[in-house]
Amino acid sequence: MRRSSDQLTRCVQILMMLPRAPRKIAARVIHARLLERGVCVTVRTIERDLHRLRSAVPIELDSVHKPYGWAWDRDAQALLGV
């Protein structure tokens, strides 16, 4: 049970870090911020979380301009105080 609770907490933290498009945040920056909060996961785990979240909430990946980045969709309704 602890693992799913940790994953849920991590995903909420990730969502709260995302800016609204056109601004974006790279997975590596999210990784660094999570490490500062004591959350020890890999960048790849964060990328997997973001891709899973993308199917459930209105977030987008800018994979055209480097560094690639994540953001709330411009037209997304307020969620989690975003």
Side-chain angles (χ1 to χ4, degrees), residues 6-51:
D6 291 345
Q7 183 180 15
L8 177 61
T9 300
R10 183 178 67 244
C11 287
V12 169
Q13 290 177 346
I14 290 170
L15 288 173
M16 292 175 67
M17 290 181 199
L18 298 181
R20 186 170 300 276
R23 295 181 323 149
K24 63 183 180 177
I25 187 170
R28 290 192 180 279
V29 175
I30 294 171
H31 178 253
R33 290 182 183 175
L34 287 174
L35 285 176
E36 289 172 0
R37 296 177 183 187
V39 180
C40 297
V41 294
T42 65
V43 173
R44 184 65 187 123
T45 296
I46 293 166
E47 291 169 340
R48 286 186 192 106
D49 288 344
L50 285 161
H51 283 285

Side-chain angles (χ1 to χ4, degrees), residues 46-64:
I46 293 166
E47 291 169 340
R48 286 186 192 106
D49 288 344
L50 285 161
H51 283 285
R52 280 190 215 105
L53 287 166
R54 189 176 178 192
S55 67
V57 295
I59 61 174
E60 59 186 51
L61 169 62
D62 174 1
S63 59
V64 175

